[in-house]
Each structure stands twice: as C-alpha cells, then as structure tokens.
Amino acid sequence: EELAGEISDELDEDMDALEEIYESHKEELESKIEELKKQIRQARLADDDARVEALTIELHEAKAEKELLESETEKKEEALEEEQDKIEDELEDKEEAEKAIQEAEEKKQEILDEAKKEGVNLSANSIKQYDQLFAQAKELLGRENYQGAEMLAKQAKKHIDKALEALVSIVKK
C-alpha cells in the first residue's frame, strides 16, 4: 500500500508537470492568436490584403497547433491515468495474494498446534496437497502472477481446513 502511494504520487507529479507544460504552451499560443487577430485588424484598416492573407494563414496554423496540443495532452493524460490504474490494480492483486498466502500459512500452523496439543500425529498425506498448492502459490507470487497465487493459496487453505475437520473428528472420538 505504501508503494502504491509512492507510485501514485510520482504519477501525480508527472501529470502536474505535464499540465504545467501544456498550460504554458497553451497560453503562448493564445497570446499569439490574439496578437495575430490584432495584426489582421490593423492590416485590414490599412487595406493591406497581402498582409491580411499571410496573417490569416498564420492564425489558422496557430489555432491548429493549439487544437493538436489539446488533443495530445488529453491522450497523454489518459495514458498516465491508465498506467496509474494498472499499477494500482496490480499492487492490490499482490496484496490480496500475499494476504491469502499468509492466511493459509497461519491456518496450517493452527492445525499443527492443535494436533500437537491434542497429541495427534497428522499423517504427511493429510497435508501433502496443502504443501503442494502452497508451494505453487508462493512460486506464482514470485513470478508476479498474483491472481493465480491468490487462487492457489485459497485452495491450499481449503485443503488444510479439511485436515482440521479430520483432526476435530479424530479428537472427538
């Protein structure tokens, strides 16, 4: 969660920097557009058709550049937001996988402690499937397959829950 916050802050800073650059360039273009309009009015008053035509072309180019700037800025902002969402989703998946693995580990320890307390020996078979699933979950976590790791950790926990049920039935007899 802390890492997600840091990454989010960095992306926010990037977005802010992009926004500042955009605003600065946009203001320059708007000033240029206003200045060109003023020059066009002056050229019309002076009946300088050639100058009006040249300034009008320049005005259209400035307006087109401003539109392109706005379009490109929107695309970049959307891409940054998508990247931020992707990173946050991945970190959330990682946290959920780590939590599932921890819960499965704790459940196994709980069963081992209960068996020891009751003086019951658990057969290697009763927790074999748990161990296999748990090992696979840890492996997937290491390969950043967080959803797969979470799924396997939950399956491992279900298998260890079955071992607990078996232990409880043995103890009750």
Side-chain angles (χ1 to χ4, degrees):
E1 203 167 293
E2 188 177 313
L3 180 60
E6 289 174 19
I7 291 171
S8 180
D9 290 345
E10 287 177 22
L11 286 174
D12 286 343
E13 288 172 14
D14 289 347
M15 289 176 72
D16 290 345
L18 179 65
E19 184 70 25
E20 283 180 33
I21 292 168
Y22 160 76
E23 284 299 321
S24 173
H25 195 60
K26 180 180 171 190
E27 288 171 8
E28 289 172 14
L29 287 170
E30 288 172 346
S31 293
K32 181 178 181 178
I33 289 169
E34 289 307 311
E35 180 60 31
L36 287 168
K37 288 178 181 179
K38 182 179 167 186
Q39 290 177 13
I40 289 171
R41 283 191 295 276
Q42 291 172 347
R44 282 189 181 136
L45 289 173
D47 285 332
D48 188 347
D49 292 339
R51 181 131 171 85
V52 169
E53 188 177 327
L55 290 169
T56 302
I57 291 171
E58 197 174 335
L59 176 64
H60 289 299
E61 289 172 354
K63 285 181 176 180
E65 185 178 346
K66 181 181 170 194
E67 285 179 23
L68 179 63
L69 173 68
E70 289 170 347
S71 172
E72 288 300 312
T73 301
E74 281 181 30
K75 287 178 189 174
K76 285 183 171 122
E77 285 176 352
E78 287 173 12
L80 277 173
E81 286 173 9
E82 285 177 19
E83 187 64 25
Q84 186 173 12
D85 289 345
K86 182 181 170 187
I87 290 169
E88 288 171 358
D89 288 346
E90 190 170 315
L91 288 172
E92 187 177 303
D93 288 347
K94 180 180 181 186
E95 288 172 5
E96 289 174 11
E98 288 171 340
K99 181 181 176 196
I101 287 172
Q102 182 181 354
E103 288 174 359
E105 248 178 331
E106 289 170 356
K107 185 58 101 171
K108 179 183 179 186
Q109 191 58 51
E110 177 185 325
I111 289 168
L112 293 175
D113 292 346
E114 184 69 23
K116 185 176 181 180
K117 179 178 139 191
E118 297 296 332
V120 176
N121 286 329
L122 290 177
S123 68
N125 244 6
S126 64
I127 56 173
K128 181 179 180 183
Q129 187 141 24
Y130 163 87
D131 287 337
Q132 289 173 340
L133 289 167
F134 187 78
Q136 290 172 350
K138 297 270 285 191
E139 181 184 333
L140 288 180
L141 181 68
R143 287 196 264 148
E144 298 179 2
N145 180 344
Y146 303 124
Q147 292 175 346
E150 180 183 9
M151 181 188 71
L152 289 175
K154 286 180 177 181
Q155 286 178 7
K157 187 176 176 204
K158 283 180 187 175
H159 280 282
I160 208 70
D161 282 337
K162 288 178 186 176
L164 178 59
E165 289 171 17
L167 175 62
V168 169
S169 69
I170 290 171
V171 170
K172 286 184 177 179
K173 287 184 182 180

